[in-house]
Amino acid sequence: QDGIRIFSSANIIGGTNAAARNVISGNGGDGIEFNGVDATLNQTYGNFIGTDASGILNRGNSANGLLISTSARSNYLGAALPGAGNIIAYNSGDGISIVAANAHTNNPCRGNAIYLNGDLGIDLAANGVSANDAGDADVGANQMQNFPVLTPASHTPTEVLIGGTLNGRASTTFVLDFYANAQRDPTGSGEGQYYLGATNVTTDGAGNTSFTVSLPSANFKGRFVSATATDPFGNTSEFATNLTAVSTVAAATFTVINTNDTGVGSLRQALLDANANIASGPDTIAFNIPGSGVQTNRPASALPVITDAVIIDGYTQPGTATNTSATAFNGTLLIRLDGTQAGSAVATVLSGGTEF
């Protein structure tokens, strides 16, 4: 069954502060369903939909995170305001699914953290990625709003530059929202894990506009960029096709100086720091743990998924020696990772380009 099913209007689910937050997870159906012609003008802000109470661990719903169906319309799913975005992750279906029907319109989906859902992050008509059409004359779920087409993006220590085009209704102003993702979605479209910011664009008489936007790099925690477009009536598009941002940020070295499970100097913190440093090349995790003999790290839970290229170099620990034999191992290894206390989850997951 669904976690919450809404049949009426003007309800508020959650809010912009932590005290108002709901954790809507682990349900056999959708996390939240808006159902029926009276389900309108509802607001959904600041909730965790598909995660645990920390907003990190997988507690996905068995269907969609949010579903709009049976003539529901004009419902607000997040907003580009502090604390208003929902986390929508790990759900087996779509993050947000708006069923195919001409009545299902004017549902803005902005400022959310949408990632690692089984299908699309935002799915208009619940049929997979919907292609853009010239002039955006089609109708249906959220008016089948066209998504932006992104051109090369770049990342510097201070800004993220993203360019692109949008084709839509003529002489109309749209809001474009931009997102970064730590992992590329298998569909190639979105999702939208980290909200970067927004800009307004206005189409010309032929329905075309181009843009270049500069956004702060503070929340740029993944090199895969996507975007959505929202028209003046609140019709938000699906996510744009992902684009890989080229980074000019220098690679860094993060040094592990203790065997603690968390905190400054721990392996866990070094992994988090390396993930967050979107650089021009692989970062390095080095070791300089005081004491002689083997140093053992025993994580109490799964270590972070490695989402960006990194070299984890155990040979940097003082006292180690590299192998010099072609027929047998004669080196000295002094860093040990023991996952026996980390539970049944995989100790850590490697992404492409990682050396361990």
Side-chain angles (χ1 to χ4, degrees):
Q1 63 183 27
D2 297 336
I4 300 174
R5 186 175 294 172
I6 303 293
F7 296 98
S8 56
S9 65
N11 298 287
I12 299 175
I13 305 170
T16 57
N17 62 75
R21 176 185 303 141
N22 300 285
V23 178
I24 308 167
S25 304
N27 298 288
D30 303 300
I32 304 173
E33 179 181 355
F34 300 91
N35 185 298
V37 67
D38 292 327
T40 185
L41 299 178
N42 296 291
Q43 302 173 59
T44 305
Y45 301 139
N47 301 290
F48 292 172
I49 304 171
T51 75
D52 70 341
S54 72
I56 297 173
L57 298 181
N58 183 346
R59 300 291 185 269
N61 296 289
S62 296
N64 306 292
L66 296 100
L67 174 67
I68 291 182
S69 69
T70 324
S71 299
R73 66 192 305 270
S74 299
N75 293 290
Y76 296 83
L77 312 180
L81 299 170
N86 304 283
I87 294 178
I88 306 170
Y90 306 119
N91 301 289
S92 297
D94 299 317
I96 297 174
S97 181
I98 303 177
V99 173
N102 290 350
H104 298 153
T105 58
N106 305 354
N107 301 290
C109 313
R110 303 188 58 209
N112 300 294
I114 305 177
Y115 60 97
L116 293 180
N117 295 286
D119 293 321
L120 296 187
I122 301 173
D123 193 352
L124 305 186
N127 62 354
V129 177
S130 300
N132 288 340
D133 64 304
D136 205 8
D138 53 357
V139 295
N142 265 13
Q143 299 289 19
M144 301 304 293
Q145 171 63 50
N146 281 354
F147 52 78
V149 176
L150 303 181
T151 55
S154 62
H155 168 229
T156 75
T158 58
E159 66 177 350
V160 182
L161 286 172
I162 305 172
T165 61
L166 177 69
N167 174 262
R169 292 175 176 83
S171 305
T172 301
T173 298
F174 298 85
V175 179
L176 306 184
D177 290 297
F178 298 90
Y179 301 83
N181 298 279
Q183 300 180 62
R184 188 191 302 272
D185 190 83
T187 66
S189 299
E191 300 176 40
Q193 186 171 6
Y194 301 106
Y195 185 63
L196 299 176
T199 193
N200 291 343
V201 298
T202 302
T203 54
D204 60 19
N208 296 308
T209 186
S210 61
F211 58 86
T212 299
V213 60
S214 173
L215 301 166
S217 63
N219 206 35
F220 190 73
K221 300 177 183 177
R223 64 180 70 243
F224 305 110
V225 175
S226 190
T228 60
T230 302
D231 75 7
F233 302 99
N235 294 294
T236 298
S237 71
E238 296 179 349
F239 283 108
T241 303
N242 288 328
L243 185 70
T244 303
V246 176
S247 181
T248 62
V249 175
T253 296
F254 304 98
T255 303
V256 178
I257 59 173
N258 58 56
T259 58
N260 298 341
D261 183 37
T262 61
V264 175
S266 67
L267 175 60
R268 186 182 300 275
Q269 188 61 50
L271 290 168
L272 292 171
D273 292 342
N275 280 345
N277 188 54
I278 308 302
S280 57
D283 295 315
T284 298
I285 294 178
F287 294 83
N288 188 14
I289 302 173
S292 60
V294 175
Q295 303 294 326
T296 302
N297 184 286
R298 295 183 175 87
S301 60
L303 290 170
V305 173
I306 297 174
T307 57
D308 205 43
V310 63
I311 298 169
I312 303 175
D313 189 356
Y315 285 117
T316 54
Q317 173 67 18
T320 59
T322 58
N323 180 58
T324 59
S325 172
T327 59
F329 183 79
N330 65 359
T332 302
L333 300 177
L334 296 178
I335 297 297
R336 181 170 181 257
L337 181 61
D338 181 352
T340 57
Q341 299 178 13
S344 59
V346 176
T348 192
V349 177
L350 306 184
S351 185
T354 296
E355 296 182 28
F356 203 143

